């Protein structure tokens, strides 16, 4: 399923696989002045092509290589003949079929491999200038796009919530913190954050600061309990009461325990 929402000059394109009448998980791409940011998952690739056929799109950027951000790359190249750009580290990951976990296969599917080009330092459209900001942490190849005049920042999967309660097993919380601090240093009093889960934060710097404060408090609490010789699972249960149901659904790929383990002293 695909639904488009107009947010001023920006079109938010919400996409997700529909099964038994329900969308399993919504992912957002954005279209602004002919620039498409992310291409959704494999299951929604044809719907996206139909949508783009009715809109002007001239260039495409992937914020990172994950399967819910590059799913229509090959179809876009074939049908629309457009250039697609991604971080150099993403190039060898999107031009071949990467293994997926069972839940990823069900929710997003295998993207058709596509050869994409390395991102330049900035992307210009007719009316806007987007600086490419390297933001590793969620993945090593993650980038955000920053439009300094408008104060827009397209943050992919780097930032989704002020009080994150779980982590992907391969995420690097230290990298995420460094990348978010980098966004706080961007010029301008405020940023509007456009996230890949569809949430938009009009007071993005405030939201990031809240999140960093929350993480810092959480790290202190984990350290305090680790000082009492509690294990990571015991600390998880003490702070969060229980594991998220997503841990079982994703075979532990997403879990509260992943977050606690990365906040343990010495990590
Ligand atoms: Zn991702």
């Amino acid at each position: 399923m695909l639904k488009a929402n107009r947010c001023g000059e920006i079109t938010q394109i919400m996409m997700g696989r529909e099964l038994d009448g329900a969308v399993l998980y919504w992912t957002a791409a954005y279209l602004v002045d002919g620039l498409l940011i992310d291409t959704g998952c494999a299951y929604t690739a044809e719907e996206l092509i139909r949508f783009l056929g009715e809109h002007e799109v001239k260039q495409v950027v992937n914020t990172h290589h994950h399967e819910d951000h590059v799913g229509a790359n090959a179809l876009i190249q074939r049908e629309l003949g457009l250039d697609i750009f991604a971080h150099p580290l993403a190039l060898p990951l999107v031009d071949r079929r990467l293994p997926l976990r069972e839940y990823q296969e069900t929710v997003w599917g295998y993207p058709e491999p596509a050869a994409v080009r390395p991102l330049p330092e900035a992307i210009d459209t007719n009316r806007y200038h987007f600086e490419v900001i390297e933001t590793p942490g969620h993945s090593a190849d993650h980038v955000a796009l920053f439009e300094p005049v408008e104060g827009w920042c397209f943050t992919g999967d780097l930032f989704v919530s002020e009080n994150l309660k779980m982590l992907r097993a391969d995420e690097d919380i230290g990298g995420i913190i460094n990348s978010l601090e980098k966004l706080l240093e961007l010029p301008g009093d405020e940023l509007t954050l456009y996230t890949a889960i569809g949430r938009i934060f009009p007071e993005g710097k405030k939201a990031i600061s809240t999140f960093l404060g929350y993480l810092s408090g959480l790290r202190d609490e984990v350290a305090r309990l680790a000082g009492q010789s509690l294990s990571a699972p015991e600390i998880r249960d003490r702070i969060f009461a229980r594991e998220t149901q997503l841990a079982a659904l994703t075979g532990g790929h997403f879990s509260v325990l992943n977050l606690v383990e990365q906040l343990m002293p010495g990590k």
Side-chain angles (χ1 to χ4, degrees):
M1 183 180 281
L2 182 152
K3 284 184 187 171
N5 304 312
R6 190 80 188 178
C7 324
E9 293 300 304
I10 298 165
T11 302
Q12 181 188 58
I13 308 165
M14 300 297 295
M15 291 173 276
R17 183 184 189 192
E18 201 174 347
L19 257 189
D20 301 328
V23 169
L24 295 178
Y25 188 90
W26 288 104
T27 303
Y30 295 90
L31 179 62
V32 50
D33 198 25
L35 172 65
L36 177 68
I37 300 162
D38 284 331
T39 71
C41 73
Y43 293 121
T44 52
E46 293 195 358
E47 278 180 283
L48 180 62
I49 289 290
R50 283 197 293 278
F51 175 84
L52 295 177
E54 297 160 4
H55 295 78
E56 187 184 54
V57 53
K58 291 182 174 169
Q59 46 194 339
V60 183
V61 168
N62 298 137
T63 57
H64 60 299
H65 73 280
H66 288 161
E67 64 283 354
D68 45 335
H69 299 258
V70 304
N73 279 10
L75 208 52
I76 286 173
Q77 288 176 333
R78 209 160 45 238
E79 301 283 325
L80 306 176
L82 296 175
D83 283 330
I84 301 179
F85 298 95
H87 189 284
L89 289 175
L91 272 49
L93 302 174
V94 298
D95 74 354
R96 65 192 175 98
R97 188 174 150 123
L98 294 179
L100 294 183
R101 288 168 175 77
E102 200 180 330
Y103 85 94
Q104 293 170 309
E105 207 178 315
T106 304
V107 178
W108 297 302
Y110 288 94
E112 187 183 336
V116 304
R117 300 173 58 185
L119 266 165
E121 286 181 5
I123 297 269
D124 286 300
T125 64
N126 284 340
R127 283 174 287 148
Y128 303 111
H129 173 78
F130 294 89
E131 293 174 14
V132 175
I133 316 283
E134 294 202 14
T135 50
H138 172 72
S139 62
D141 64 339
H142 198 287
V143 298
L145 295 182
F146 170 57
E147 211 295 331
V149 175
E150 301 291 338
W152 299 330
C153 195
F154 295 87
T155 52
D157 281 340
L158 172 67
F159 183 76
V160 291
S161 153
E162 302 101 319
N163 54 0
L164 184 77
K165 292 189 172 62
M166 68 184 90
L167 210 62
R168 230 178 102 130
D170 53 0
E171 282 184 300
D172 165 20
I173 196 75
I176 290 173
I177 291 169
N178 291 340
S179 291
L180 290 174
E181 286 173 344
K182 200 189 270 190
L183 297 191
L184 288 182
E185 297 297 316
L186 292 174
D189 292 339
E190 257 310 348
L191 285 176
T192 304
L193 305 183
Y194 296 87
T195 73
I197 61 164
R199 282 189 73 183
I200 296 171
F201 294 86
E203 295 182 304
K205 286 193 177 182
K206 197 171 162 189
I208 290 171
S209 298
T210 301
F211 175 57
L212 292 176
Y214 157 79
L215 267 187
S216 168
L218 195 55
R219 191 192 291 278
D220 289 348
E221 183 63 0
V222 168
R224 190 182 69 79
L225 294 170
Q228 297 173 8
S229 301
L230 267 64
S231 67
E234 286 167 338
I235 293 172
R236 172 200 61 198
D237 294 344
R238 190 72 75 84
I239 297 176
F240 294 98
R242 60 180 169 273
E243 187 52 86
T244 167
Q245 286 183 336
L246 273 182
L249 287 171
T250 63
H253 200 214
F254 277 92
S255 73
V256 183
L257 186 60
N258 292 336
L259 178 61
V260 171
E261 283 179 338
Q262 287 217 18
L263 293 173
M264 291 289 276
K267 281 278 179 177

